[in-house]
Amino acid sequence: MNSWLHTSSNAFIVAFFLYCFSFIGYAVAVGGRRFSNRDPEAHAKRWSRIGFGLAVLGWIAHLVFFFTRWKGGGHIPTSNMYEFMTFLGMAIMFAFIIVNLIYRNALVGAFATPLVVIIIAYASVFPSDVQPLIPALNSIWLKIHVTTAAAGEAFFAVGFAAALVQLLRVVDFSRNDKAGKRAQRGVEGVLFFIIIVIGFLVSVFGFRAGGYEAEFKQEKFSIDQQGNEINSVQKVAYGLPPIVKPYNSETITMQPYLGIKEPLFEAPSWMNGVNAGRKLNTVIWSVISGLILYGIIRLVLRKPLAAAIHPYLDGIDPDDLDEISYRAIAIGFPVFTLGALIFAMIWAQIAWSRFWGWDPKEVWALITWLFYSAYLHLRLSRGWQGTRSAWLAVIGFIVVLFTLIGVNLVIAGLHSYAGVS
């Protein structure tokens, strides 16, 4: 292996574990507010400094990973899903460091660091081999468009973390009226969504560690320009047990699981792409794993997850969290506008001779931009602050995640990267 890439791989592992330790430090800081018998504030500040120091060290190791991979691969490492998601994780940590230096709020770190860990773990699902650039990506605009778009999304992520903490802090779990129950279900639903993402990672890495494999062949029929029928056979490999197999396919090999020797059903006819069935199968396993994981957590805690977190946030000023969330989004919005829209359209004109083509990723980037435009409008012109603003920040980042992950898993387009599992 190229020595630069070997160094890069080691730095990535170091960064991942430092981020994990940073989260532990922040978790101890938050827990100390409730369990410290002497000086809870001093305990929280001490462990917050430890958590922040570890986060900075992790980010430095992440930078080493980034630049050594760049040197070893010969191009900026943002050209595939693995590289983009690792860069996004690094950008989120940078955004958090900037915001934390301004506001010094430990609770944001307690939610921002696990978000980075999840994103890096998600990146590891994809092949990490350095791949040569295809002609369309061999452009200076790869550096400009992708890095600025990711930087804007990184500040949206920090705004999401602060907003989620704010909601967990202000929701009254003792209320039994309709509005109170709706707020409780909403916050719990956001946490459940995060558990679903974690469930996806657990299922992928779990079956990957077990060496699970299944393979199918799918017949495809098409018509050429002369009207002749073309029959081709494509193969697709699964890394997760096939609950659903590709449309119009036959099993080549399949390891039994839970006594099941054949897929339970076939993908619908409108999902006839070679990877469509595999992507649907991945989504199904994510939901199943998330439900199991969430059920285990509920059994252990004997209460909703949000209600279990809420008592640890006593004494935190929700107005500070509201300000952090707004400022982070206000910083990220113009950067995202430049990277995801303006620079993207310039590159599209150069690469594909058109500024806009209604590709799924382009459409969802526009939806993201419109959503955050509405957030800033309602915040500045209509005075939407507090809980309403926090909900918009949380929903906005869920839209970002769907743009980054959901579109890749569910919809095919020019921006689609390799599928998973």
Side-chain angles (χ1 to χ4, degrees), residues 57-104:
L57 290 175
W59 185 70
I60 293 172
H62 209 149
L63 277 178
V64 173
F65 156 79
F66 180 76
F67 285 110
T68 52
R69 186 177 176 90
W70 190 342
K71 177 69 174 179
H75 59 80
I76 186 170
T78 56
S79 63
N80 55 42
M81 199 64 175
Y82 170 80
E83 293 177 343
F84 176 78
M85 295 305 292
T86 54
F87 179 80
L88 178 62
M90 185 175 71
I92 292 174
M93 186 52 65
F94 173 74
F96 162 68
I97 290 171
I98 296 299
V99 171
N100 189 73
L101 287 174
I102 298 172
Y103 291 100
R104 305 282 181 177

Side-chain angles (χ1 to χ4, degrees), residues 6-24 51-68 82 85-87 89-91 93 97 112-121 124:
H6 181 72
T7 301
S8 176
S9 178
N10 290 334
F12 180 78
I13 295 172
V14 171
F16 177 79
F17 281 105
L18 284 172
Y19 290 150
C20 292
F21 294 142
S22 173
F23 167 62
I24 293 172
F52 183 68
L54 290 169
V56 171
L57 290 175
W59 185 70
I60 293 172
H62 209 149
L63 277 178
V64 173
F65 156 79
F66 180 76
F67 285 110
T68 52
Y82 170 80
M85 295 305 292
T86 54
F87 179 80
M90 185 175 71
M93 186 52 65
I97 290 171
T113 49
L115 181 61
V116 172
V117 169
I118 291 171
I119 286 175
I120 291 177
S124 300

Side-chain angles (χ1 to χ4, degrees), residues 256-377:
Y257 66 101
L258 300 177
I260 301 174
K261 298 180 180 181
E262 290 292 334
L264 299 183
F265 61 94
E266 183 179 81
S269 59
W270 55 269
M271 299 186 69
N272 59 3
V274 65
N275 289 315
R278 182 179 64 178
K279 291 179 178 182
L280 175 60
N281 191 67
T282 300
V283 172
I284 293 172
W285 270 108
S286 301
V287 174
I288 292 173
S289 301
L291 286 169
I292 293 173
L293 185 58
Y294 180 75
I296 293 172
I297 294 173
R298 285 293 301 268
L299 285 174
V300 172
L301 297 177
R302 297 184 179 180
K303 63 175 68 175
L305 182 56
I309 296 174
H310 176 76
Y312 295 94
L313 309 182
D314 289 343
I316 303 302
D317 188 351
D319 292 335
D320 288 345
L321 296 169
D322 184 58
E323 177 70 12
I324 292 171
S325 179
Y326 163 65
R327 293 297 179 187
I329 292 173
I331 294 171
F333 182 76
V335 179
F336 181 82
T337 302
L338 283 172
L341 293 181
I342 297 175
F343 294 157
M345 288 189 289
I346 294 172
W347 191 11
Q349 173 63 27
I350 295 172
W352 300 315
S353 300
R354 50 67 167 175
F355 286 103
W356 189 264
W358 298 104
D359 180 74
K361 188 73 68 131
E362 293 174 329
V363 171
W364 278 93
L366 177 61
I367 291 172
T368 301
W369 184 83
L370 290 173
F371 188 95
Y372 280 104
S373 298
Y375 166 89
L376 292 173
H377 170 73

